Amino acid sequence: DGRLEEHLRFWGCEMREMKKTGKTMAEMQIELNMRYDFDRITEAGKDLVAVSGPGKIGMENIGNSCYLASTMQLLFTILELAAPYLHSAQNIIASAPADPYGDLTTQLAKLADGLLTAKYAVPAGAKDGGDVAVKPTYLKAVAGKGHPEFSTANQQDALDFLQYMTELMHRSRVADAARLGGGEEGNSRDFYF
């Protein structure tokens, strides 16, 4: 409104004499951030003990793949979902097709072996503590193959990937039940919620 000052004056509001009394949401947020003690949640300045071992191995970010890492680490904390891949890993890898890089079951078995065993754990007493992480390059490629979103290197939503991945894992466990040691249907009922 080009005549705002004039319109407000009609109602008794003199713009030039007004003083700001309230804060905008942005100003309140900035003020809160300035006062907040982030060291309480980041443990800054504390001597932390590095942990390593089965279930404590991370995944390397291979370029906008944090959605994949967080989803797979979550799924593999559920023993019922991870166990068939972990316990049958050697059989799965030995019976992999000619192109194991394009086989989801093989890639899931390799991931389970990497995340849930001591294979990649930093040895106790290692001086540098080491940054050990599993690199999910082929898993990302095979899981995203043919999908319009997950086949790209763009940022993705972890919930969308979780839903997509549970469907892929279900299909994999039905199709590869014999390789997973679960009989005709495998453990596909784990995916019924």
Side-chain angles (χ1 to χ4, degrees):
D1 183 358
R3 297 176 30 195
L4 179 62
E5 187 174 354
E6 181 183 333
H7 291 141
L8 289 174
R9 191 176 307 118
F10 175 80
W11 297 103
C13 299
E14 292 293 336
M15 276 182 56
R16 300 201 188 273
E17 295 175 15
M18 298 182 110
K19 292 184 177 153
K20 182 175 177 181
T21 57
K23 294 180 184 174
T24 66
M25 288 301 290
E27 289 170 326
M28 289 190 289
Q29 188 66 46
I30 289 169
E31 186 177 295
L32 177 66
N33 288 345
M34 300 279 285
R35 287 185 316 204
Y36 193 77
D37 183 12
F38 286 99
D39 289 347
R40 288 189 317 182
I41 59 172
T42 61
E43 300 181 32
K46 295 183 180 174
D47 289 330
L48 302 177
V49 177
V51 294
S52 185
K56 295 180 178 95
I57 306 294
M59 293 176 69
E60 187 176 325
N61 189 334
I62 54 175
N64 289 335
S65 65
C66 52
Y67 69 93
L68 179 136
S70 58
T71 299
M72 296 314 299
Q73 286 173 313
L74 167 78
L75 287 173
F76 278 19
T77 63
I78 304 169
L79 188 58
E80 294 81 4
L81 300 181
Y85 298 103
L86 178 62
H87 299 311
S88 302
Q90 288 182 344
N91 179 51
I92 292 169
I93 293 168
S95 64
D99 179 19
Y101 306 110
D103 179 51
L104 181 64
T105 301
T106 301
Q107 295 307 317
L108 290 170
K110 288 172 57 181
L111 183 64
D113 187 50
L115 294 178
L116 303 174
T117 67
K119 189 176 199 171
Y120 294 100
V122 176
K127 293 187 190 230
D128 65 357
D131 280 339
V132 179
V134 175
K135 192 172 185 176
T137 306
Y138 295 116
L139 175 62
K140 184 176 188 243
V142 71
K145 185 177 181 182
H147 191 280
E149 302 275 333
F150 301 123
S151 60
T152 70
N154 297 334
Q155 292 275 349
Q156 301 299 333
D157 183 74
L159 177 59
D160 292 342
F161 187 71
L162 173 65
Q163 293 168 330
Y164 174 69
M165 195 66 203
T166 53
E167 179 62 30
L168 285 182
M169 288 174 75
H170 171 72
R171 290 180 192 165
S172 161
R173 287 169 73 159
V174 170
D176 288 334
R179 289 175 68 202
L180 291 162
E184 200 171 299
E185 268 193 57
N187 296 307
S188 64
R189 300 196 66 63
D190 292 340
F191 291 98
Y192 293 111
F193 296 106

